[in-house]
Amino acid sequence: MTAVAEPTVKYKRVLLKISGEALMGDQGYGLHPPTVARIAREVKSVHELGVEICMVIGGGNIFRGLAGAAQGMERTTADYMGMLATVMNALGMQAQLEALGLHTRVISAIPMDQVCEPYIRRRAVRHLEKKRICIFAAGTGNPYFTTDTAATLRANEMNCEAIFKGTKVDGVYDKDPKKFSDAKRYGEVSYDECLQKNLGVMDASAIALARDNNLPIIVFSLDEPGGFRGILAGQGTYTTVHA
Ligand code: UDP
């Protein structure tokens, strides 16, 4: 009998960051359960490799603080609404992951005991050691931040080896590949170049926080079936942002 070789996995613990918009499918708003279920299956296939997984999901499919502020709402209130939107997304993802038999915790930066766990770093680390998927919700818990910064913060706190930023394209391009056919994909790009050229990987505070802690950001397409697992097993196309 021929033994099937298990893929060699470079990472032991990673954080997957996805925008809220990734959950809405073609609906244009809110959560599209089949899309959430598809992403949950991608996460499960990586979990099966033995990788410990943290997740941060944005809230832009429901509410963005800046949009509320632009309509005359006080910015801090609008940002709290955005943070609450991320909790709804986290619960939606938790439901789909658990439907696949995975063990998960939603961990919120804003305590809401009836809904999910409050963020306690040591407790979250213990969950990861027990192979539970930790979905960090409510961003950093502070207005004027984004979930990209929350993802970088939690990845550092959890000692993740990399942030995987799932997007609609397979990496970082010098211009929008959906608009320009001659757009070129970077295989690797430095934090400083991302900041100087405003390449749109993540917002500036998130990139600076990753740079200051030497945390690689791997940008890949979440629309590619098996793409997330493939990269962890050393295949596929993506861009690595590092020093
Ligand atoms: N937000 C915040 N503090 C944080 C994280 C998020 O105030 O630490 C608010 C902010 O208003 C933001 C909204 O939550 O617009 C949704 O997050 P984000 O825009 O990062 O979501 P994404 O674009 O990833 O879907």
Side-chain angles (χ1 to χ4, degrees):
M1 206 170 74
T2 333
V4 180
E6 277 292 315
T8 321
V9 182
K10 191 173 158 197
Y11 300 96
K12 187 173 175 292
R13 182 178 295 169
V14 300
L15 185 142
L16 173 65
K17 164 75 210 309
I18 55 178
S19 71
E21 285 173 355
L23 305 185
M24 70 187 184
D26 296 329
Q27 288 179 163
Y29 181 81
L31 287 120
H32 180 240
T35 302
V36 184
R38 181 183 64 75
I39 297 172
R41 287 193 295 275
E42 299 289 329
V43 172
K44 183 180 185 193
S45 70
V46 168
H47 188 264
E48 284 167 354
L49 294 172
V51 179
E52 293 170 4
I53 303 173
C54 305
M55 291 181 77
V56 169
I57 308 170
N61 55 323
I62 300 173
F63 196 85
R64 275 213 177 86
L66 273 176
Q71 289 169 352
M73 193 180 277
E74 202 264 317
R75 171 73 192 264
T76 307
T77 304
D79 277 340
Y80 278 117
M81 288 173 71
M83 287 183 256
L84 294 177
T86 73
V87 180
M88 291 171 68
N89 283 338
L91 294 172
M93 178 58 72
Q94 176 177 48
Q96 295 291 351
L97 289 168
E98 295 204 332
L100 297 173
L102 295 164
H103 296 281
T104 68
R105 292 290 188 276
V106 171
I107 301 172
S108 174
I110 299 172
M112 43 182 98
D113 293 348
Q114 285 80 357
V115 178
C116 55
E117 279 189 13
Y119 176 65
I120 299 168
R121 193 190 75 87
R122 284 165 179 269
R123 200 153 140 190
V125 169
R126 193 75 192 111
H127 289 318
L128 291 169
E129 288 167 355
K130 290 184 177 173
K131 307 294 178 205
R132 294 174 185 144
I133 295 172
C134 290
I135 311 170
F136 295 102
T140 62
N142 298 289
Y144 294 94
F145 286 97
T146 65
T147 51
D148 280 349
T149 305
T152 313
L153 174 67
R154 294 293 184 240
N156 281 317
E157 290 182 282
M158 295 296 118
N159 297 322
C160 292
E161 291 143 306
I163 298 186
F164 281 72
K165 165 109 179 171
T167 71
K168 289 194 168 304
V169 288
D170 61 353
V172 181
Y173 284 77
D174 58 353
K175 46 192 162 186
D176 187 347
K178 299 222 185 250
K179 289 190 191 141
F180 300 94
S181 58
D182 62 339
K184 290 197 177 60
R185 188 177 55 80
Y186 293 89
E188 296 174 51
V189 62
S190 70
Y191 302 113
D192 288 337
E193 196 171 344
C194 284
L195 289 170
Q196 279 153 16
K197 295 189 175 161
N198 207 5
L199 291 176
V201 175
M202 284 186 164
D203 61 75
S205 26
I207 293 176
L209 188 58
R211 179 190 62 191
D212 295 350
N213 295 283
N214 220 2
L215 178 72
I217 305 166
I218 294 164
V219 182
F220 72 104
S221 168
L222 203 63
D223 290 348
E224 181 68 35
F228 185 27
R229 181 185 163 105
I231 295 169
L232 279 144
Q235 298 149 8
T237 46
Y238 52 90
T239 299
T240 308
V241 184
H242 58 156

mmCIF file of all heavy atoms in Angstrom, residues 6 29 54 95 117 123 133 174 190 203 218 231:
data_model
loop_
_atom_site.group_PDB
_atom_site.id
_atom_site.type_symbol
_atom_site.label_atom_id
_atom_site.label_comp_id
_atom_site.label_asym_id
_atom_site.label_seq_id
_atom_site.Cartn_x
_atom_site.Cartn_y
_atom_site.Cartn_z
ATOM 1 N N GLU A 6 1.416 13.552 3.736
ATOM 2 C CA GLU A 6 0.719 14.749 4.216
ATOM 3 C C GLU A 6 1.510 15.972 3.759
ATOM 4 O O GLU A 6 2.738 15.955 3.775
ATOM 5 C CB GLU A 6 0.683 14.737 5.761
ATOM 6 C CG GLU A 6 -0.435 13.900 6.339
ATOM 7 C CD GLU A 6 -1.819 14.485 6.069
ATOM 8 O OE1 GLU A 6 -1.995 15.695 6.244
ATOM 9 O OE2 GLU A 6 -2.696 13.715 5.649
ATOM 10 N N TYR A 29 -25.427 43.414 0.472
ATOM 11 C CA TYR A 29 -25.605 43.811 1.879
ATOM 12 C C TYR A 29 -25.741 42.545 2.735
ATOM 13 O O TYR A 29 -26.271 41.530 2.276
ATOM 14 C CB TYR A 29 -26.877 44.664 2.042
ATOM 15 C CG TYR A 29 -27.089 45.128 3.467
ATOM 16 C CD1 TYR A 29 -26.390 46.232 3.956
ATOM 17 C CD2 TYR A 29 -27.938 44.442 4.335
ATOM 18 C CE1 TYR A 29 -26.548 46.647 5.273
ATOM 19 C CE2 TYR A 29 -28.110 44.844 5.651
ATOM 20 C CZ TYR A 29 -27.405 45.963 6.119
ATOM 21 O OH TYR A 29 -27.553 46.358 7.414
ATOM 22 N N CYS A 54 -6.954 31.724 14.006
ATOM 23 C CA CYS A 54 -7.667 32.885 14.534
ATOM 24 C C CYS A 54 -8.360 33.537 13.340
ATOM 25 O O CYS A 54 -7.857 33.458 12.216
ATOM 26 C CB CYS A 54 -6.704 33.929 15.093
ATOM 27 S SG CYS A 54 -5.564 33.327 16.344
ATOM 28 N N ALA A 95 -21.643 29.992 13.391
ATOM 29 C CA ALA A 95 -22.731 29.035 13.130
ATOM 30 C C ALA A 95 -22.350 28.097 11.982
ATOM 31 O O ALA A 95 -22.580 26.878 12.068
ATOM 32 C CB ALA A 95 -24.007 29.802 12.792
ATOM 33 N N GLU A 117 -17.759 35.370 24.448
ATOM 34 C CA GLU A 117 -16.763 35.560 25.515
ATOM 35 C C GLU A 117 -16.127 36.946 25.431
ATOM 36 O O GLU A 117 -15.934 37.457 24.336
ATOM 37 C CB GLU A 117 -15.612 34.558 25.315
ATOM 38 C CG GLU A 117 -15.902 33.195 25.823
ATOM 39 C CD GLU A 117 -14.659 32.308 25.811
ATOM 40 O OE1 GLU A 117 -13.525 32.805 25.644
ATOM 41 O OE2 GLU A 117 -14.844 31.104 25.978
ATOM 42 N N ARG A 123 -6.836 33.194 27.916
ATOM 43 C CA ARG A 123 -7.933 32.257 27.653
ATOM 44 C C ARG A 123 -7.994 31.947 26.159
ATOM 45 O O ARG A 123 -8.181 30.801 25.755
ATOM 46 C CB ARG A 123 -9.235 32.902 28.123
ATOM 47 C CG ARG A 123 -10.336 31.947 28.355
ATOM 48 C CD ARG A 123 -11.234 32.580 29.395
ATOM 49 N NE ARG A 123 -12.622 32.352 29.078
ATOM 50 C CZ ARG A 123 -13.623 32.945 29.707
ATOM 51 N NH1 ARG A 123 -13.391 33.817 30.659
ATOM 52 N NH2 ARG A 123 -14.852 32.676 29.407
ATOM 53 N N ILE A 133 -11.255 27.249 16.996
ATOM 54 C CA ILE A 133 -11.061 28.415 16.145
ATOM 55 C C ILE A 133 -11.558 29.645 16.903
ATOM 56 O O ILE A 133 -12.692 29.658 17.394
ATOM 57 C CB ILE A 133 -11.808 28.237 14.808
ATOM 58 C CG1 ILE A 133 -11.179 27.059 14.044
ATOM 59 C CG2 ILE A 133 -11.764 29.517 13.979
ATOM 60 C CD1 ILE A 133 -11.927 26.640 12.803
ATOM 61 N N ASP A 174 0.199 46.371 -8.689
ATOM 62 C CA ASP A 174 0.636 47.774 -8.760
ATOM 63 C C ASP A 174 -0.531 48.700 -9.116
ATOM 64 O O ASP A 174 -0.484 49.889 -8.869
ATOM 65 C CB ASP A 174 1.819 47.950 -9.727
ATOM 66 C CG ASP A 174 1.511 47.478 -11.134
ATOM 67 O OD1 ASP A 174 0.432 46.882 -11.351
ATOM 68 O OD2 ASP A 174 2.347 47.711 -12.032
ATOM 69 N N SER A 190 7.618 45.063 0.237
ATOM 70 C CA SER A 190 7.961 45.457 1.612
ATOM 71 C C SER A 190 6.826 46.283 2.227
ATOM 72 O O SER A 190 6.026 46.899 1.522
ATOM 73 C CB SER A 190 9.257 46.266 1.627
ATOM 74 O OG SER A 190 9.037 47.521 1.035
ATOM 75 N N ASP A 203 -4.984 49.178 5.917
ATOM 76 C CA ASP A 203 -4.775 50.591 6.192
ATOM 77 C C ASP A 203 -3.401 50.810 6.833
ATOM 78 O O ASP A 203 -2.767 49.863 7.314
ATOM 79 C CB ASP A 203 -5.913 51.165 7.037
ATOM 80 C CG ASP A 203 -6.012 50.488 8.363
ATOM 81 O OD1 ASP A 203 -5.183 50.745 9.247
ATOM 82 O OD2 ASP A 203 -6.924 49.650 8.503
ATOM 83 N N ILE A 218 0.076 37.867 4.243
ATOM 84 C CA ILE A 218 -0.037 37.109 2.990
ATOM 85 C C ILE A 218 -1.385 37.425 2.368
ATOM 86 O O ILE A 218 -2.434 37.154 2.969
ATOM 87 C CB ILE A 218 0.153 35.605 3.257
ATOM 88 C CG1 ILE A 218 1.601 35.396 3.715
ATOM 89 C CG2 ILE A 218 -0.153 34.766 2.009
ATOM 90 C CD1 ILE A 218 1.889 34.119 4.368
ATOM 91 N N ILE A 231 -2.053 27.461 -0.095
ATOM 92 C CA ILE A 231 -0.930 28.332 0.298
ATOM 93 C C ILE A 231 -0.261 27.784 1.556
ATOM 94 O O ILE A 231 0.961 27.742 1.664
ATOM 95 C CB ILE A 231 -1.414 29.783 0.510
ATOM 96 C CG1 ILE A 231 -1.906 30.349 -0.828
ATOM 97 C CG2 ILE A 231 -0.292 30.656 1.064
ATOM 98 C CD1 ILE A 231 -2.645 31.649 -0.709
#
